[in-house]
Amino acid sequence: TRHKIMDELEEVLGFLDQRRIEMHNDENSQSRLLDYIQIHSFHSPGKSEEETKRMMHYHTDFVIKQEIIAVKDILTTLSVGPLRLLLDIISSSRYVDRIESSLLQKQEMINKTFHQLENMKTMKQTLSIEVSQSDKIHDEILIQAKILSRDIEATLTSLLHRVVSIRS
């Protein structure tokens, strides 16, 4: 579609160039200009027809030059820089497929990361429960060790007939 638009603009540019050439070369265009001037009252009372024709010719030539510049600016904008790249991307299935593939890979990575995050949350809860249970077992072992230590002290004290103390 961009190429069609550019082709159309090239045709407009060719038409404007041709019109400009015709204005310079065609005597008939001078008389048509004079008719145009008379119809649209461009002829001022103090000016000769020749002066009015020159003014009108300059005006029309100026307008056509401005239109040529505007069309060339549009063609340049469509032909270079980021806009061209964007238009190429939009009009090319290869670029669109590449971008789509890249976005799908990124989406898969995001989904994988979220899945890993959920697994980590589950593992954290499981480990938290296990740590809590381990703390309870540890506390019970300490209590049992103290009781055992006292029992050993009592037994050794009765066997040895002196006070035995075990450090804990």
Side-chain angles (χ1 to χ4, degrees), residues 95-106:
Y95 287 117
V96 172
D97 290 343
R98 208 180 280 169
I99 290 172
E100 179 186 21
S101 173
S102 173
L103 289 174
L104 287 173
Q105 288 175 354
K106 288 177 183 178

Side-chain angles (χ1 to χ4, degrees), residues 38-49:
Q38 289 171 348
I39 290 171
H40 290 89
S41 302
F42 281 114
H43 182 68
S44 301
K47 294 184 179 177
S48 69
E49 286 183 19

